[in-house]
Amino acid sequence: MQTTLLFADAMLGGLARWLRLLDIDTALAAPTLSDRELVRLANAQSRVVLTRDRHLIRFLRPDRGLLVAAQRTDAQLREVVDAIQLPRPEALFLRCLVCNGRLEAASAEQILERVPASARAFDQPIRHCPDCDRVYWFGSHTRRMTEHLQEVLPQWFA
């Protein structure tokens, strides 16, 4: 199966986080990155540009681009999943929601120093982002995010 690589413009930061939750490699353009540079980087990395900017798609013509019509993040996520025909991921929460890095198992030291005792009691993996040093664990926030995802993409959880 071919991996889909995405590059969201700065307006779509919320969408990028949800795509990362789905283990979709999604770069996010810094607000200072010009549209031309975004298209150049996306083309060089064989990424699909996600944008709400008609001008970017029409005049800069990325090799692969999707004009996202929806305004709300939920609808944007459904739109991208449908348009690109993204497959249901095998697992959720495998990428850093902030920097897009691949998460790894956290060391005992990272867990003891940075994870609340209540989270350590769960029989779920605790992960660490080697790129930005964030630590992730399963708790009520991940449960709520998963439940929300089930509402947004019910076909994946039927």
Side-chain angles (χ1 to χ4, degrees):
M1 175 170 58
Q2 183 176 353
T3 303
T4 301
L5 305 174
L6 305 177
F7 204 135
D9 73 10
M11 299 185 253
L12 297 174
L15 173 62
R17 290 176 65 90
W18 282 99
L19 289 164
R20 291 169 178 172
L21 181 147
L22 298 175
D23 195 28
I24 305 296
D25 186 332
T26 307
L28 178 62
T32 57
L33 189 68
S34 73
D35 288 349
R36 278 192 201 290
E37 188 63 11
L38 183 152
V39 169
R40 188 191 70 72
L41 286 171
N43 289 347
Q45 297 171 15
S46 299
R47 291 181 180 270
V48 177
V49 173
L50 303 177
T51 185
R52 298 200 68 236
D53 183 346
R54 293 178 194 281
H55 176 269
L56 188 153
I57 295 292
R58 188 176 301 140
F59 296 106
L60 298 180
R61 298 186 182 187
D63 292 344
R64 296 170 58 205
L66 176 64
L67 182 64
V68 178
Q71 292 182 9
R72 292 189 46 229
T73 305
D74 294 353
Q76 291 171 348
L77 182 59
R78 276 191 299 272
E79 185 178 345
V80 170
V81 165
D82 291 344
I84 300 177
Q85 297 181 334
L86 296 173
R88 180 178 186 224
E90 292 182 26
L92 304 176
F93 304 103
L94 297 176
R95 286 192 175 277
C96 179
L97 302 181
V98 177
C99 79
N100 196 41
R102 292 288 294 167
L103 300 180
E104 300 175 348
S107 69
E109 180 179 282
Q110 291 164 329
I111 292 169
L112 285 175
E113 292 179 0
R114 300 169 64 188
V115 177
S118 59
R120 287 183 246 145
F122 289 108
D123 187 27
Q124 295 286 338
I126 297 175
R127 296 188 176 111
H128 169 257
C129 179
D131 297 334
C132 71
D133 200 36
R134 285 179 173 75
V135 176
Y136 290 85
W137 61 88
F138 288 85
S140 60
H141 60 292
T142 53
R143 179 185 46 77
R144 284 191 304 272
M145 292 172 84
T146 302
E147 288 170 356
H148 184 71
L149 194 57
Q150 290 170 343
E151 293 172 9
V152 174
L153 299 170
Q155 69 274 20
W156 281 2
F157 298 93

